[in-house]
Amino acid sequence: MYKKSERSNPSNYRPVSLLSIVDKLLEKLMYKRLYSFLHNNSLLYNYQFGFRTYHSTALVELIDNQETIIGMYFDLQKAFGTVDHEILLTKLYNYDVRGPINDWFRDYLTNRKQFVAIGENVSELGMIRCGVRQGSVLGPLLFFIHVNDICNISDECTVKLFADDTNVFVFGKDSMSAFCTANTLIVQLNMWFVANKLSPSIDKTCYSVFGRRNHNYTVDSVINLNDNVLPEVDKRIDDCPMPN
């Protein structure tokens, strides 16, 4: 399915699973059972706002005029399509989804194949080795479980999620301390991305500065992600421009 931007670029398309009625009904039953278990045991991260009832509006940060606040905004590359199955199954096990139910999810995720059709041209079948099915009922919930422990990266901030969009706000008494904290946290966050085999989209990652800009705020105050200097923007936008 075409997503956006240049139509001739294959990376601007995403796979969508075409599911039978029986498959959809089975997924809905499992979704209700799994979500009820996670919700009743308070296992889902409170600041995940996407695809959840009564969680569709993200929390607004309160800004102290005496502080400098930096908001960093990350977008993951092909997030639903790059979920590692073994990592996901391990996390399900750690959340006490074990025994036959864990085996059911292993069977659900593995030994699936896909093909690409463009007009009358159809590719050969290829094995799906990672990812959750897009267009399915269980896909978003399984992705949430995969990223659910992102809240443990640091006590210095609260990570806010809307599906695969990741927002982090850091506070500092002055600009220098805020940028120092931001650069420390972005290293910790990137380590979590690497450990979970997820990749932030560099050209869609940016940051904003709120509150009072102290005298030590200079053009040299920058935030780096994998040796890339992130652009500063006035507000969160869908496609953050990269600096020249």
Side-chain angles (χ1 to χ4, degrees):
M1 178 178 289
Y2 170 72
K3 192 172 182 181
K4 61 179 178 180
S5 193
E6 187 179 350
R7 288 184 176 272
S8 60
N9 187 345
S11 66
N12 292 329
Y13 292 77
R14 65 176 182 177
V16 176
S17 298
L18 301 178
L19 308 176
S20 68
I21 296 298
V22 174
D23 196 319
K24 290 179 180 180
L25 290 173
L26 181 61
E27 284 202 18
K28 284 185 177 181
L29 291 172
M30 181 57 77
Y31 176 94
K32 289 182 178 180
R33 181 175 181 181
L34 179 60
Y35 186 85
S36 176
F37 170 78
L38 296 171
H39 177 73
N40 292 339
N41 289 279
S42 302
L43 295 174
L44 284 177
Y45 184 41
N46 286 333
Y47 294 107
Q48 169 60 266
F49 296 100
F51 302 107
R52 293 180 65 188
T53 305
Y54 308 119
H55 284 76
S56 59
T57 302
L59 186 67
V60 176
E61 294 286 342
L62 297 177
I63 297 176
D64 186 339
N65 289 332
Q66 301 303 313
E67 291 185 310
T68 299
I69 299 95
I70 297 176
M72 297 182 289
Y73 318 110
F74 304 85
D75 184 86
L76 299 178
Q77 292 183 347
K78 313 296 182 185
F80 280 50
T82 56
V83 171
D84 183 271
H85 293 162
E86 289 302 322
I87 294 176
L88 174 58
L89 289 167
T90 298
K91 292 188 178 187
L92 283 166
Y93 183 89
N94 291 337
Y95 290 128
D96 214 22
V97 180
R98 303 177 180 180
I101 301 300
N102 195 281
D103 293 338
W104 186 94
F105 278 107
R106 179 176 293 278
D107 187 66
Y108 169 85
L109 291 168
T110 56
N111 295 320
R112 294 189 177 276
K113 297 180 179 181
Q114 66 181 11
F115 68 92
V116 177
I118 302 177
E120 297 181 355
N121 300 306
V122 180
S123 72
E124 295 181 358
L125 284 173
M127 186 68 69
I128 300 175
R129 304 190 183 280
C130 62
V132 293
R133 293 195 286 178
Q134 298 190 56
S136 66
V137 176
L138 276 172
L141 181 57
L142 292 176
F143 177 77
F144 292 170
I145 294 170
H146 188 66
V147 300
N148 197 56
D149 59 351
I150 196 173
C151 58
N152 298 325
I153 63 166
S154 175
D155 295 329
E156 297 288 330
C157 67
T158 300
V159 180
K160 308 292 173 59
L161 303 171
F162 191 93
D164 59 338
D165 288 328
T166 305
N167 300 334
V168 180
F169 291 86
V170 299
F171 299 76
K173 294 182 178 179
D174 53 46
S175 298
M176 183 178 295
S177 63
F179 273 91
C180 182
T181 301
N183 277 293
T184 298
L185 284 172
I186 204 171
V187 170
Q188 296 172 326
L189 188 60
N190 190 56
M191 290 174 62
W192 184 91
F193 287 145
V194 171
N196 288 275
K197 298 185 179 182
L198 298 171
S199 301
S201 178
I202 300 297
D203 61 346
K204 295 181 182 179
T205 298
C206 52
Y207 73 93
S208 300
V209 180
F210 305 95
R212 188 170 66 178
R213 300 193 179 210
N214 309 93
H215 66 278
N216 58 358
Y217 177 86
T218 68
V219 293
D220 295 325
S221 298
V222 296
I223 298 176
N224 291 281
L225 175 60
N226 292 333
D227 297 324
N228 293 282
V229 177
L230 301 184
E232 180 183 351
V233 297
D234 292 333
K235 61 181 179 179
R236 174 68 169 95
I237 56 178
D238 289 336
D239 294 291
C240 299
M242 287 301 294
N244 294 325

